[in-house]
Amino acid sequence: MTRIQLLPRKTINQIAAGEVIERPASVVKELVENALDAGATQIDIIVDEGGKSRIIVQDNGHGMSADEMKLSIERHATSKLSADEQGNWDLLNISTMGFRGEALPSIGSVSRMQIKSQYISGEAWELRVEGGRISDLQPCPPFGDSGTRIKISDLFFAVPARLKFLKTDRAENMAISDTLKRLAMARPDVGFSLVSSGRKSFTYFAHSGKDAGLQRMGEVLGKNFAENAMVLDHIRDEVRIFGFAGLPTYHQSSSRHQYMFVNSRPVRDKLLHGAVRGAYRDFLARDRHPVLALFVELDPHQVDVNVHPAKSEVRFRDPGLVRGLIVGALRHGLAGAGHRASTSIADYALGKMKAPQFAPDRSTIAANGAKAFPQQSDFAENPAGTDFSTLAARHEYAPGEIQDESPALELPLGAARAQVHETYILAQTTDGIVIVDQHAAHERLVYEKMKQQLAEGKVPAQNLLIPEIVEMEEAAAERLLSRTDELAALGLVIEAFGAGAIAIRATPALLGQMNAAQLVRDLAEDLLQFDAAHSLSERLEDVCSTMACHGSVRAGRRLGAEEMNALLRQMEATPHSGQCNHGRPTYVELKLADIERLFGRR
Ligand SMILES: Nc1ncnc2c1ncn2[C@@H]1O[C@H](COP(=O)(O)OP(=O)(O)OP(=O)(O)O)[C@@H](O)[C@H]1O
Ligand SMILES: [Mg+2]
């Protein structure tokens, strides 16, 4: 049997490094956090070869005296914890980024580390640690005001096995940049710069004042995000949730751009991500993710950060409260933003719009289906081509039907002017035009209405005069019949009609005239994808999008003026109608100013 022995210091530190220093980005994180704890207002970072060959972090914090510097590389030595009069060390009252006293000795045990620090008194010292071997402290020439400059060369040279786990320089650079961005978002009052392999990656200036946070967001996530985000700020039970949450129309394919902070510490927390997913569930398809930066501030005693050596996970005393607050704050913001679609979509549309290559004549406009104009065929049937009064009578909707003084112009979605391609409604507002995707809008309306009717009890059904018999595969009929009660609660009343057939007795009233047979067939198809354990109301968005596909306002159906205006008014009255169930916008607005820009009038 092997005898128990105490491990040498170097080995102990390398074991700790295994947990805390996973890759170059972890070194950057630890050094920058130390700089923040030292009260720095400017932190400059230089890395080479993805941080593998060199990392330099320089700060203008308070620096270290000679004695502090010697202690800083000792394990379990920290200036960030203190004991009360009874000698108790409170691990639940942490207001600094660091507190474990192990980052520097860990880094020093696996790399070549040089620390230069100038204390506020003016003295400056230098210390080197190579693979855990500590050299003597040397005085060095002062390098300006107080501050610390730490250089790490040849990371992991002392533990070559680790090198094999490193990714390409590009991937390591991205991880470094991501780490820094998170820290920079948490501290808009501090300036940051990153130079990577001699190239400037970014420079963020220190900001002050109440817009500091938003300014930093703009620097880090781009101006586009700042313009497409809602500002949140909620306090309940001494927990504050604030930050910036992207509109649902500003979605991404991964949750990589969800930044969470607890008491200014960047964290990756399942609870917080789950809360965000829950809040956006109704607005985004499952594979799309919002962009946001959320800050949780609470009494340090309400949260334990001593959970993981890298301190990226936290444990809340009252997780339910924090989750509820986040979901509440986001939902509240989303309800307010229901009528705001992403501005970048209007920008995108503007970018796509080009002056036509040829001058369109009337027939091209007609062929493109602009219904407000008399169509080519009307002229053919009516060779004189002048009798607009009879044309107008034959059209469901004719030019001039809505007068310029229409009160609807003042409403957010304006007055319907035309339907084009039997898919889009063109409406005029006081200062622009609105283009509505009638199908997407209707899908959202059906969903919101059904949710509301379900909450009130039951979705009203409209009985069919004669039940409609639909034949289908026996298995499909079985699938539908096993959900008879659930479907009835959604306003679709079906019953068995012999083997391989179903009788439809009633359809949801809110869908209006519809192709019930096709709806039932499509629902049978949907059920194939649904987990038997899930109720239909849990999959309501899918059910509703199938239903809306067969409702009266689907794409490709002509709408009369009244129907169009009714749809616009319904959208205005319905929360969240700015985007469809899958996060696509239901309408875009072009301001007159934008249109004027298109034509070079501005
Ligand atoms: N940039 C710096 N400026 C001033 N003092 C520093 C700096 N970096 C480290 N120190 C001092 O060295 C000590 C040790 O740093 P180290 O990062 O190893 O531990 P820590 O920050 O206390 O805890 P943790 O291991 O959780 O980061 C710190 O407590 C601090 O007093
Ligand atoms: Mg530290």
Side-chain angles (χ1 to χ4, degrees), residues 54 56 71 86 103 135 178 187 210 214 221 223 300 306 310 313 325 327 350 365 391 417-418 426 469-470 485 498 580:
R54 195 167 69 132
I56 298 174
L71 269 178
Q86 284 87 43
S135 69
D178 184 66
R187 294 295 302 271
K210 71 174 184 10
L214 193 60
L221 294 176
K223 207 170 126 267
N306 186 22
E313 286 169 33
L325 252 174
V327 175
L350 276 172
I365 296 173
L391 279 178
R417 288 298 197 204
L426 219 56
I469 312 300
V470 193
D485 293 345
C580 82

PDB file of all heavy atoms in Angstrom, residues 54 56 71 86 103 135 178 187 210 214 221 223 300 306 310 313 325 327 350 365 391 417-418 426 469-470 485 498 580:
ATOM      1  N   ARG A  54       1.930  34.411 -25.120  1.00  0.00           N
ATOM      2  CA  ARG A  54       2.101  35.600 -24.278  1.00  0.00           C
ATOM      3  C   ARG A  54       0.752  36.244 -23.926  1.00  0.00           C
ATOM      4  O   ARG A  54      -0.118  36.372 -24.786  1.00  0.00           O
ATOM      5  CB  ARG A  54       2.966  36.627 -25.015  1.00  0.00           C
ATOM      6  CG  ARG A  54       3.501  37.715 -24.107  1.00  0.00           C
ATOM      7  CD  ARG A  54       4.578  38.478 -24.843  1.00  0.00           C
ATOM      8  NE  ARG A  54       3.979  39.250 -25.932  1.00  0.00           N
ATOM      9  CZ  ARG A  54       4.241  40.544 -26.155  1.00  0.00           C
ATOM     10  NH1 ARG A  54       5.085  41.197 -25.367  1.00  0.00           N
ATOM     11  NH2 ARG A  54       3.672  41.170 -27.154  1.00  0.00           N
ATOM     12  N   ILE A  56      -0.359  39.740 -21.584  1.00  0.00           N
ATOM     13  CA  ILE A  56       0.054  40.836 -20.695  1.00  0.00           C
ATOM     14  C   ILE A  56      -1.207  41.565 -20.247  1.00  0.00           C
ATOM     15  O   ILE A  56      -2.060  41.913 -21.076  1.00  0.00           O
ATOM     16  CB  ILE A  56       0.978  41.847 -21.414  1.00  0.00           C
ATOM     17  CG1 ILE A  56       2.261  41.143 -21.860  1.00  0.00           C
ATOM     18  CG2 ILE A  56       1.296  43.029 -20.503  1.00  0.00           C
ATOM     19  CD1 ILE A  56       3.176  42.027 -22.702  1.00  0.00           C
ATOM     20  N   LEU A  71       3.464  37.799  -0.876  1.00  0.00           N
ATOM     21  CA  LEU A  71       2.322  36.988  -0.423  1.00  0.00           C
ATOM     22  C   LEU A  71       1.369  36.628  -1.569  1.00  0.00           C
ATOM     23  O   LEU A  71       0.708  35.591  -1.529  1.00  0.00           O
ATOM     24  CB  LEU A  71       1.535  37.766   0.633  1.00  0.00           C
ATOM     25  CG  LEU A  71       1.948  37.533   2.087  1.00  0.00           C
ATOM     26  CD1 LEU A  71       1.106  38.418   2.999  1.00  0.00           C
ATOM     27  CD2 LEU A  71       1.763  36.058   2.478  1.00  0.00           C
ATOM     28  N   GLN A  86     -15.175  38.285  16.325  1.00  0.00           N
ATOM     29  CA  GLN A  86     -15.161  36.929  16.909  1.00  0.00           C
ATOM     30  C   GLN A  86     -14.246  35.972  16.125  1.00  0.00           C
ATOM     31  O   GLN A  86     -14.165  34.786  16.440  1.00  0.00           O
ATOM     32  CB  GLN A  86     -16.578  36.312  16.914  1.00  0.00           C
ATOM     33  CG  GLN A  86     -17.500  36.851  17.986  1.00  0.00           C
ATOM     34  CD  GLN A  86     -18.221  38.110  17.516  1.00  0.00           C
ATOM     35  OE1 GLN A  86     -18.695  38.175  16.393  1.00  0.00           O
ATOM     36  NE2 GLN A  86     -18.279  39.113  18.385  1.00  0.00           N
ATOM     37  N   ALA A 103      -5.465  32.269  -7.623  1.00  0.00           N
ATOM     38  CA  ALA A 103      -5.258  32.457  -9.061  1.00  0.00           C
ATOM     39  C   ALA A 103      -3.780  32.632  -9.402  1.00  0.00           C
ATOM     40  O   ALA A 103      -3.249  31.929 -10.270  1.00  0.00           O
ATOM     41  CB  ALA A 103      -6.077  33.640  -9.561  1.00  0.00           C
ATOM     42  N   SER A 135      11.524  33.349  -7.968  1.00  0.00           N
ATOM     43  CA  SER A 135      12.810  34.058  -7.902  1.00  0.00           C
ATOM     44  C   SER A 135      12.737  35.151  -6.834  1.00  0.00           C
ATOM     45  O   SER A 135      11.661  35.457  -6.329  1.00  0.00           O
ATOM     46  CB  SER A 135      13.124  34.673  -9.258  1.00  0.00           C
ATOM     47  OG  SER A 135      12.203  35.722  -9.485  1.00  0.00           O
ATOM     48  N   ASP A 178     -14.458  37.003 -25.730  1.00  0.00           N
ATOM     49  CA  ASP A 178     -15.762  36.807 -25.090  1.00  0.00           C
ATOM     50  C   ASP A 178     -15.664  37.063 -23.576  1.00  0.00           C
ATOM     51  O   ASP A 178     -16.502  37.766 -23.000  1.00  0.00           O
ATOM     52  CB  ASP A 178     -16.243  35.380 -25.358  1.00  0.00           C
ATOM     53  CG  ASP A 178     -17.628  35.126 -24.799  1.00  0.00           C
ATOM     54  OD1 ASP A 178     -18.568  35.758 -25.301  1.00  0.00           O
ATOM     55  OD2 ASP A 178     -17.771  34.329 -23.847  1.00  0.00           O
ATOM     56  N   ARG A 187     -18.669  46.329 -16.176  1.00  0.00           N
ATOM     57  CA  ARG A 187     -18.024  47.517 -15.629  1.00  0.00           C
ATOM     58  C   ARG A 187     -17.846  48.613 -16.679  1.00  0.00           C
ATOM     59  O   ARG A 187     -16.743  48.893 -17.135  1.00  0.00           O
ATOM     60  CB  ARG A 187     -16.671  47.107 -15.039  1.00  0.00           C
ATOM     61  CG  ARG A 187     -16.776  46.195 -13.819  1.00  0.00           C
ATOM     62  CD  ARG A 187     -17.442  46.868 -12.622  1.00  0.00           C
ATOM     63  NE  ARG A 187     -16.741  48.070 -12.222  1.00  0.00           N
ATOM     64  CZ  ARG A 187     -15.735  48.072 -11.340  1.00  0.00           C
ATOM     65  NH1 ARG A 187     -15.335  46.964 -10.769  1.00  0.00           N
ATOM     66  NH2 ARG A 187     -15.148  49.210 -11.015  1.00  0.00           N
ATOM     67  N   LYS A 210     -25.754  58.096 -16.176  1.00  0.00           N
ATOM     68  CA  LYS A 210     -26.790  57.068 -16.172  1.00  0.00           C
ATOM     69  C   LYS A 210     -26.858  56.256 -17.478  1.00  0.00           C
ATOM     70  O   LYS A 210     -27.401  55.175 -17.499  1.00  0.00           O
ATOM     71  CB  LYS A 210     -28.159  57.678 -15.827  1.00  0.00           C
ATOM     72  CG  LYS A 210     -28.778  58.565 -16.894  1.00  0.00           C
ATOM     73  CD  LYS A 210     -30.175  58.947 -16.439  1.00  0.00           C
ATOM     74  CE  LYS A 210     -30.983  59.752 -17.414  1.00  0.00           C
ATOM     75  NZ  LYS A 210     -30.551  59.965 -18.762  1.00  0.00           N
ATOM     76  N   LEU A 214     -25.727  51.627 -21.233  1.00  0.00           N
ATOM     77  CA  LEU A 214     -26.200  51.526 -22.616  1.00  0.00           C
ATOM     78  C   LEU A 214     -25.053  51.827 -23.591  1.00  0.00           C
ATOM     79  O   LEU A 214     -24.922  51.181 -24.636  1.00  0.00           O
ATOM     80  CB  LEU A 214     -27.365  52.490 -22.832  1.00  0.00           C
ATOM     81  CG  LEU A 214     -28.158  52.280 -24.116  1.00  0.00           C
ATOM     82  CD1 LEU A 214     -28.768  50.893 -24.157  1.00  0.00           C
ATOM     83  CD2 LEU A 214     -29.263  53.329 -24.248  1.00  0.00           C
ATOM     84  N   LEU A 221     -21.883  45.124 -28.055  1.00  0.00           N
ATOM     85  CA  LEU A 221     -22.792  44.323 -28.886  1.00  0.00           C
ATOM     86  C   LEU A 221     -23.200  45.032 -30.171  1.00  0.00           C
ATOM     87  O   LEU A 221     -23.950  44.486 -30.970  1.00  0.00           O
ATOM     88  CB  LEU A 221     -24.047  43.975 -28.081  1.00  0.00           C
ATOM     89  CG  LEU A 221     -23.825  43.050 -26.891  1.00  0.00           C
ATOM     90  CD1 LEU A 221     -25.101  42.839 -26.119  1.00  0.00           C
ATOM     91  CD2 LEU A 221     -23.269  41.720 -27.354  1.00  0.00           C
ATOM     92  N   LYS A 223     -24.233  48.945 -32.181  1.00  0.00           N
ATOM     93  CA  LYS A 223     -25.275  49.958 -32.095  1.00  0.00           C
ATOM     94  C   LYS A 223     -26.637  49.338 -32.413  1.00  0.00           C
ATOM     95  O   LYS A 223     -27.657  49.695 -31.834  1.00  0.00           O
ATOM     96  CB  LYS A 223     -24.964  51.054 -33.112  1.00  0.00           C
ATOM     97  CG  LYS A 223     -25.507  52.408 -32.754  1.00  0.00           C
ATOM     98  CD  LYS A 223     -24.946  53.445 -33.698  1.00  0.00           C
ATOM     99  CE  LYS A 223     -26.047  54.245 -34.351  1.00  0.00           C
ATOM    100  NZ  LYS A 223     -26.534  53.785 -35.642  1.00  0.00           N
ATOM    101  N   PRO A 300     -25.457  40.325  -0.928  1.00  0.00           N
ATOM    102  CA  PRO A 300     -24.523  39.207  -1.117  1.00  0.00           C
ATOM    103  C   PRO A 300     -24.884  37.983  -0.272  1.00  0.00           C
ATOM    104  O   PRO A 300     -24.565  36.854  -0.655  1.00  0.00           O
ATOM    105  CB  PRO A 300     -23.183  39.775  -0.679  1.00  0.00           C
ATOM    106  CG  PRO A 300     -23.333  41.247  -0.643  1.00  0.00           C
ATOM    107  CD  PRO A 300     -24.790  41.574  -0.608  1.00  0.00           C
ATOM    108  N   ASN A 306     -19.400  30.855  -3.903  1.00  0.00           N
ATOM    109  CA  ASN A 306     -18.354  29.869  -3.636  1.00  0.00           C
ATOM    110  C   ASN A 306     -18.839  28.463  -3.997  1.00  0.00           C
ATOM    111  O   ASN A 306     -18.941  27.590  -3.152  1.00  0.00           O
ATOM    112  CB  ASN A 306     -17.965  29.958  -2.154  1.00  0.00           C
ATOM    113  CG  ASN A 306     -16.789  29.078  -1.837  1.00  0.00           C
ATOM    114  OD1 ASN A 306     -16.015  28.710  -2.725  1.00  0.00           O
ATOM    115  ND2 ASN A 306     -16.667  28.694  -0.571  1.00  0.00           N
ATOM    116  N   ALA A 310     -14.022  28.376 -10.672  1.00  0.00           N
ATOM    117  CA  ALA A 310     -13.947  29.486 -11.623  1.00  0.00           C
ATOM    118  C   ALA A 310     -15.006  30.555 -11.334  1.00  0.00           C
ATOM    119  O   ALA A 310     -15.048  31.578 -12.009  1.00  0.00           O
ATOM    120  CB  ALA A 310     -14.095  28.972 -13.045  1.00  0.00           C
ATOM    121  N   GLU A 313     -20.502  29.924 -11.613  1.00  0.00           N
ATOM    122  CA  GLU A 313     -21.840  29.488 -11.204  1.00  0.00           C
ATOM    123  C   GLU A 313     -22.145  30.077  -9.843  1.00  0.00           C
ATOM    124  O   GLU A 313     -21.252  30.304  -9.047  1.00  0.00           O
ATOM    125  CB  GLU A 313     -21.898  27.956 -11.108  1.00  0.00           C
ATOM    126  CG  GLU A 313     -21.924  27.286 -12.454  1.00  0.00           C
ATOM    127  CD  GLU A 313     -21.701  25.791 -12.340  1.00  0.00           C
ATOM    128  OE1 GLU A 313     -22.133  25.203 -11.321  1.00  0.00           O
ATOM    129  OE2 GLU A 313     -21.089  25.233 -13.243  1.00  0.00           O
ATOM    130  N   LEU A 325     -38.816  36.971 -10.915  1.00  0.00           N
ATOM    131  CA  LEU A 325     -38.559  38.382 -11.212  1.00  0.00           C
ATOM    132  C   LEU A 325     -38.056  38.569 -12.643  1.00  0.00           C
ATOM    133  O   LEU A 325     -38.467  39.494 -13.341  1.00  0.00           O
ATOM    134  CB  LEU A 325     -37.475  38.883 -10.264  1.00  0.00           C
ATOM    135  CG  LEU A 325     -37.938  39.831  -9.185  1.00  0.00           C
ATOM    136  CD1 LEU A 325     -36.797  40.129  -8.234  1.00  0.00           C
ATOM    137  CD2 LEU A 325     -38.438  41.125  -9.808  1.00  0.00           C
ATOM    138  N   VAL A 327     -38.523  36.494 -15.249  1.00  0.00           N
ATOM    139  CA  VAL A 327     -39.597  36.219 -16.203  1.00  0.00           C
ATOM    140  C   VAL A 327     -40.567  37.406 -16.220  1.00  0.00           C
ATOM    141  O   VAL A 327     -40.953  37.900 -17.282  1.00  0.00           O
ATOM    142  CB  VAL A 327     -40.324  34.905 -15.851  1.00  0.00           C
ATOM    143  CG1 VAL A 327     -41.513  34.692 -16.761  1.00  0.00           C
ATOM    144  CG2 VAL A 327     -39.374  33.725 -15.958  1.00  0.00           C
ATOM    145  N   LEU A 350     -34.907  48.498 -46.606  1.00  0.00           N
ATOM    146  CA  LEU A 350     -34.434  49.653 -47.357  1.00  0.00           C
ATOM    147  C   LEU A 350     -33.231  49.284 -48.212  1.00  0.00           C
ATOM    148  O   LEU A 350     -33.116  49.696 -49.358  1.00  0.00           O
ATOM    149  CB  LEU A 350     -34.032  50.769 -46.395  1.00  0.00           C
ATOM    150  CG  LEU A 350     -35.177  51.651 -45.929  1.00  0.00           C
ATOM    151  CD1 LEU A 350     -34.690  52.569 -44.835  1.00  0.00           C
ATOM    152  CD2 LEU A 350     -35.709  52.463 -47.100  1.00  0.00           C
ATOM    153  N   ILE A 365     -47.863  46.684 -63.096  1.00  0.00           N
ATOM    154  CA  ILE A 365     -48.393  46.866 -61.747  1.00  0.00           C
ATOM    155  C   ILE A 365     -49.568  45.925 -61.536  1.00  0.00           C
ATOM    156  O   ILE A 365     -49.656  45.213 -60.548  1.00  0.00           O
ATOM    157  CB  ILE A 365     -48.840  48.329 -61.518  1.00  0.00           C
ATOM    158  CG1 ILE A 365     -47.619  49.252 -61.602  1.00  0.00           C
ATOM    159  CG2 ILE A 365     -49.531  48.473 -60.175  1.00  0.00           C
ATOM    160  CD1 ILE A 365     -47.958  50.718 -61.567  1.00  0.00           C
ATOM    161  N   LEU A 391     -66.125  50.079 -62.519  1.00  0.00           N
ATOM    162  CA  LEU A 391     -64.998  49.268 -62.046  1.00  0.00           C
ATOM    163  C   LEU A 391     -65.007  49.204 -60.528  1.00  0.00           C
ATOM    164  O   LEU A 391     -64.892  48.160 -59.919  1.00  0.00           O
ATOM    165  CB  LEU A 391     -63.678  49.889 -62.502  1.00  0.00           C
ATOM    166  CG  LEU A 391     -63.239  49.592 -63.922  1.00  0.00           C
ATOM    167  CD1 LEU A 391     -61.935  50.329 -64.193  1.00  0.00           C
ATOM    168  CD2 LEU A 391     -63.049  48.102 -64.110  1.00  0.00           C
ATOM    169  N   ARG A 417     -54.772  50.458 -47.438  1.00  0.00           N
ATOM    170  CA  ARG A 417     -54.896  51.098 -48.746  1.00  0.00           C
ATOM    171  C   ARG A 417     -55.019  50.079 -49.851  1.00  0.00           C
ATOM    172  O   ARG A 417     -55.612  50.329 -50.881  1.00  0.00           O
ATOM    173  CB  ARG A 417     -53.662  51.951 -49.036  1.00  0.00           C
ATOM    174  CG  ARG A 417     -53.583  53.213 -48.225  1.00  0.00           C
ATOM    175  CD  ARG A 417     -54.753  54.075 -48.548  1.00  0.00           C
ATOM    176  NE  ARG A 417     -54.534  55.444 -48.123  1.00  0.00           N
ATOM    177  CZ  ARG A 417     -55.524  56.283 -47.870  1.00  0.00           C
ATOM    178  NH1 ARG A 417     -56.779  55.876 -48.001  1.00  0.00           N
ATOM    179  NH2 ARG A 417     -55.283  57.487 -47.489  1.00  0.00           N
ATOM    180  N   ALA A 418     -54.354  48.938 -49.680  1.00  0.00           N
ATOM    181  CA  ALA A 418     -54.347  47.953 -50.764  1.00  0.00           C
ATOM    182  C   ALA A 418     -53.859  46.623 -50.250  1.00  0.00           C
ATOM    183  O   ALA A 418     -53.245  46.544 -49.193  1.00  0.00           O
ATOM    184  CB  ALA A 418     -53.418  48.426 -51.881  1.00  0.00           C
ATOM    185  N   LEU A 426     -51.095  46.784 -47.460  1.00  0.00           N
ATOM    186  CA  LEU A 426     -50.381  48.042 -47.481  1.00  0.00           C
ATOM    187  C   LEU A 426     -51.245  49.068 -46.758  1.00  0.00           C
ATOM    188  O   LEU A 426     -52.377  49.289 -47.148  1.00  0.00           O
ATOM    189  CB  LEU A 426     -50.211  48.451 -48.943  1.00  0.00           C
ATOM    190  CG  LEU A 426     -48.913  49.081 -49.375  1.00  0.00           C
ATOM    191  CD1 LEU A 426     -47.750  48.175 -49.017  1.00  0.00           C
ATOM    192  CD2 LEU A 426     -48.954  49.300 -50.872  1.00  0.00           C
ATOM    193  N   ILE A 469     -67.280  14.793 -43.328  1.00  0.00           N
ATOM    194  CA  ILE A 469     -66.636  13.496 -43.127  1.00  0.00           C
ATOM    195  C   ILE A 469     -65.279  13.519 -43.815  1.00  0.00           C
ATOM    196  O   ILE A 469     -65.173  13.893 -44.988  1.00  0.00           O
ATOM    197  CB  ILE A 469     -67.480  12.345 -43.743  1.00  0.00           C
ATOM    198  CG1 ILE A 469     -68.950  12.466 -43.324  1.00  0.00           C
ATOM    199  CG2 ILE A 469     -66.891  10.988 -43.371  1.00  0.00           C
ATOM    200  CD1 ILE A 469     -69.192  12.401 -41.835  1.00  0.00           C
ATOM    201  N   VAL A 470     -64.237  13.169 -43.068  1.00  0.00           N
ATOM    202  CA  VAL A 470     -62.893  13.163 -43.643  1.00  0.00           C
ATOM    203  C   VAL A 470     -62.330  11.757 -43.559  1.00  0.00           C
ATOM    204  O   VAL A 470     -62.300  11.157 -42.491  1.00  0.00           O
ATOM    205  CB  VAL A 470     -61.945  14.104 -42.859  1.00  0.00           C
ATOM    206  CG1 VAL A 470     -60.674  14.324 -43.639  1.00  0.00           C
ATOM    207  CG2 VAL A 470     -62.631  15.408 -42.513  1.00  0.00           C
ATOM    208  N   ASP A 485     -61.099  15.113 -26.544  1.00  0.00           N
ATOM    209  CA  ASP A 485     -61.480  16.089 -25.521  1.00  0.00           C
ATOM    210  C   ASP A 485     -60.632  17.354 -25.606  1.00  0.00           C
ATOM    211  O   ASP A 485     -61.139  18.474 -25.499  1.00  0.00           O
ATOM    212  CB  ASP A 485     -61.344  15.477 -24.119  1.00  0.00           C
ATOM    213  CG  ASP A 485     -62.369  14.368 -23.910  1.00  0.00           C
ATOM    214  OD1 ASP A 485     -63.326  14.305 -24.719  1.00  0.00           O
ATOM    215  OD2 ASP A 485     -62.192  13.568 -22.977  1.00  0.00           O
ATOM    216  N   GLY A 498     -66.694   5.334 -38.283  1.00  0.00           N
ATOM    217  CA  GLY A 498     -66.251   4.070 -38.884  1.00  0.00           C
ATOM    218  C   GLY A 498     -64.733   4.036 -38.975  1.00  0.00           C
ATOM    219  O   GLY A 498     -64.061   4.988 -38.589  1.00  0.00           O
ATOM    220  N   CYS A 580     -44.707  37.187 -35.267  1.00  0.00           N
ATOM    221  CA  CYS A 580     -45.509  35.975 -35.356  1.00  0.00           C
ATOM    222  C   CYS A 580     -45.002  34.974 -34.328  1.00  0.00           C
ATOM    223  O   CYS A 580     -44.039  35.236 -33.614  1.00  0.00           O
ATOM    224  CB  CYS A 580     -45.462  35.388 -36.767  1.00  0.00           C
ATOM    225  SG  CYS A 580     -43.992  34.402 -37.071  1.00  0.00           S
TER     226      CYS A 580
END
